Amino acid sequence: MLADKKILLCVTGGIAVYKAVVLVSKLSQAGAQVKVVMSRSAMQFVQPLSFQVMSRNDVYWDTFDEKESSVIAHIDLADWADLILVAPTTANFIGKLANGIADDMPSTILLAATAPVWIAPAMNVHMYEHPAVLRNIDRLYEDGYRFIEPSEGFLACGYVGKGRLEEPERIVELVDAYFNESRDLPLAGKKVVVTAGPTLERIDPVRYISNFSSGKMGYAMAQAAVEMGAETILISGPVSLESPKGVKLICIESAAEMLDAVLDYYQDADYVVKSAAVADYRPMTVHDQKMKKKDGTASIELERTTDILKTLGAQKTTQRLIGFAAETTDALTYGKGKLESKNLDWIIVNDVTDPNGGFGSDSNVVTLVSRDGVEHPFPAMEKKELAKQLLKAIVQEGKRSL
Ligand code: PMT
């Protein structure tokens, strides 16, 4: 599967180093050439010899130990790799990389690298949630690093939670998918922002206004974007879905929070896909205490939320804007109206009364309408498949109109 692919594995020091040995074995079995670089703390857990045997290559750990006089090892290794994996990646190493520190062989190589670098963290759940670690991860995302998020389960420290190094078999699958797709990755090098799910507008500490969006459509769009090679930021309202692998997930609650999060990423975005069902109104007053019931009717005064998509449309420079229109009547007419009034490039018109689609269902039926009025109807299909087909159509059409 990975014949002729050159993978440089940087191993940093945590108990999951033992899994890195299995990873080298699996990558080699899949046909990849693997070279291993270790931090000194990684060597406390597993001897370099294990990696040497598994990779059939020298193992590197000392920047000043130049094995070949004709080359400088850390530059040579950085240039050699088609892909660099850092697995496991410690909190310390994430901190060093986020701050450009090069004080050992793996960190020096990474500063010299031009190949894609994937980071697979492994650490205690509380370390992974520490604000400094999260800040450093955010910075690395911004610098273009890709993450293989840790999985949840029993951790060596005794805790149960997120922090386990992803299983070697899964990492090999991701690497394989990357090389397969990179032959035809239409969104490689692009940044895609996707919104998903409902927003929730508080009335008091126990009540809120929201809608029936499950987030399935938006999460499928984010997954399709990442599979097509995009750096993908998923801004999600409250849903009970697992984040697609490889996306940067930002959780928000209200329309106002979604607006702030989208604006944070808007300038650099190539595509913004607004699948979220954003509340159009919110209560004018949010009560600090639970509102007491009284005899007779009650009313809540509502005010408009900001139309996020319209705001983006007004500020648009090079970004491509894709809206969804959830309609219950005259879907195409209303959808086209939104395309125009919000200054969009495409609108995905979603008649949510269709029994094969809409809110909560695993499938959907939509019509993609482009700015010049071309309509492209998609029959009922799984949201995951639909998302791929929609993005492909958008990218192809976008290329033609550039
Ligand atoms: O989440 P699922 O259960 O999978 O359901 C999918 C879906 C039905 C939610 C999805 O396919 C869909 O249609 N999403 C758009 C829902 C919506 O809010 O449509 P709208 O017609 O009200 O809004 C039009 C566009 O403006 C949308 O892209 C919306 O994100 C955006 N908008 C709306 C209001 C607002 N204040 N700000 C916005 O950005």
mmCIF file of all heavy atoms in Angstrom, residues 29 54 82 117 140 158 187 192 228 318 326 358:
data_model
loop_
_atom_site.group_PDB
_atom_site.id
_atom_site.type_symbol
_atom_site.label_atom_id
_atom_site.label_comp_id
_atom_site.label_asym_id
_atom_site.label_seq_id
_atom_site.Cartn_x
_atom_site.Cartn_y
_atom_site.Cartn_z
ATOM 1 N N GLN A 29 5.501 -3.205 7.075
ATOM 2 C CA GLN A 29 4.737 -4.284 6.407
ATOM 3 C C GLN A 29 3.912 -3.738 5.248
ATOM 4 O O GLN A 29 3.661 -4.426 4.268
ATOM 5 C CB GLN A 29 3.787 -4.950 7.403
ATOM 6 C CG GLN A 29 4.471 -5.902 8.361
ATOM 7 C CD GLN A 29 3.521 -6.370 9.457
ATOM 8 O OE1 GLN A 29 2.349 -6.590 9.215
ATOM 9 N NE2 GLN A 29 4.048 -6.508 10.664
ATOM 10 N N MET A 54 13.078 -3.137 13.675
ATOM 11 C CA MET A 54 11.788 -3.042 12.987
ATOM 12 C C MET A 54 11.874 -2.254 11.688
ATOM 13 O O MET A 54 11.185 -2.542 10.713
ATOM 14 C CB MET A 54 10.746 -2.362 13.888
ATOM 15 C CG MET A 54 10.242 -3.251 14.974
ATOM 16 S SD MET A 54 9.447 -4.691 14.249
ATOM 17 C CE MET A 54 9.082 -5.633 15.687
ATOM 18 N N ASP A 82 8.742 11.900 3.018
ATOM 19 C CA ASP A 82 7.504 12.323 2.344
ATOM 20 C C ASP A 82 6.485 12.777 3.382
ATOM 21 O O ASP A 82 5.614 13.589 3.106
ATOM 22 C CB ASP A 82 6.887 11.149 1.563
ATOM 23 C CG ASP A 82 7.779 10.703 0.417
ATOM 24 O OD1 ASP A 82 8.340 11.580 -0.249
ATOM 25 O OD2 ASP A 82 7.928 9.478 0.214
ATOM 26 N N VAL A 117 3.684 17.367 8.448
ATOM 27 C CA VAL A 117 3.987 16.785 9.763
ATOM 28 C C VAL A 117 2.678 16.477 10.469
ATOM 29 O O VAL A 117 1.809 17.342 10.577
ATOM 30 C CB VAL A 117 4.818 17.765 10.621
ATOM 31 C CG1 VAL A 117 5.089 17.160 11.999
ATOM 32 C CG2 VAL A 117 6.126 18.139 9.927
ATOM 33 N N LEU A 140 -0.234 25.235 16.742
ATOM 34 C CA LEU A 140 0.297 24.293 15.747
ATOM 35 C C LEU A 140 -0.693 24.088 14.608
ATOM 36 O O LEU A 140 -0.296 23.975 13.449
ATOM 37 C CB LEU A 140 0.671 22.966 16.410
ATOM 38 C CG LEU A 140 1.885 23.050 17.345
ATOM 39 C CD1 LEU A 140 2.151 21.709 18.014
ATOM 40 C CD2 LEU A 140 3.133 23.501 16.585
ATOM 41 N N GLY A 158 -3.755 5.500 35.064
ATOM 42 C CA GLY A 158 -4.878 5.051 35.892
ATOM 43 C C GLY A 158 -6.165 5.783 35.590
ATOM 44 O O GLY A 158 -7.237 5.340 35.969
ATOM 45 N N LEU A 187 -8.841 19.646 -2.368
ATOM 46 C CA LEU A 187 -8.830 20.748 -1.401
ATOM 47 C C LEU A 187 -7.495 20.827 -0.639
ATOM 48 O O LEU A 187 -7.409 21.500 0.393
ATOM 49 C CB LEU A 187 -9.993 20.605 -0.418
ATOM 50 C CG LEU A 187 -11.371 20.943 -1.009
ATOM 51 C CD1 LEU A 187 -12.484 20.638 -0.017
ATOM 52 C CD2 LEU A 187 -11.448 22.409 -1.438
ATOM 53 N N VAL A 192 -10.950 25.217 5.075
ATOM 54 C CA VAL A 192 -12.413 25.175 4.989
ATOM 55 C C VAL A 192 -13.000 25.323 6.395
ATOM 56 O O VAL A 192 -12.610 24.598 7.317
ATOM 57 C CB VAL A 192 -12.888 23.845 4.360
ATOM 58 C CG1 VAL A 192 -14.410 23.764 4.348
ATOM 59 C CG2 VAL A 192 -12.342 23.702 2.941
ATOM 60 N N MET A 228 -10.855 15.442 1.559
ATOM 61 C CA MET A 228 -10.408 16.013 0.280
ATOM 62 C C MET A 228 -9.153 16.868 0.470
ATOM 63 O O MET A 228 -8.750 17.599 -0.421
ATOM 64 C CB MET A 228 -11.545 16.828 -0.349
ATOM 65 C CG MET A 228 -12.639 15.919 -0.910
ATOM 66 S SD MET A 228 -14.192 16.783 -1.229
ATOM 67 C CE MET A 228 -13.793 17.718 -2.673
ATOM 68 N N THR A 318 -11.768 37.014 -0.924
ATOM 69 C CA THR A 318 -11.486 35.878 -1.809
ATOM 70 C C THR A 318 -12.219 34.610 -1.382
ATOM 71 O O THR A 318 -12.145 33.589 -2.057
ATOM 72 C CB THR A 318 -9.975 35.560 -1.792
ATOM 73 O OG1 THR A 318 -9.590 35.374 -0.426
ATOM 74 C CG2 THR A 318 -9.173 36.684 -2.402
ATOM 75 N N ALA A 326 -32.836 26.002 4.729
ATOM 76 C CA ALA A 326 -33.818 25.017 5.211
ATOM 77 C C ALA A 326 -35.197 25.616 4.988
ATOM 78 O O ALA A 326 -35.536 26.623 5.604
ATOM 79 C CB ALA A 326 -33.581 24.732 6.683
ATOM 80 N N GLY A 358 -33.680 16.204 5.685
ATOM 81 C CA GLY A 358 -33.977 17.252 6.657
ATOM 82 C C GLY A 358 -33.346 16.994 8.011
ATOM 83 O O GLY A 358 -32.349 16.282 8.135
#
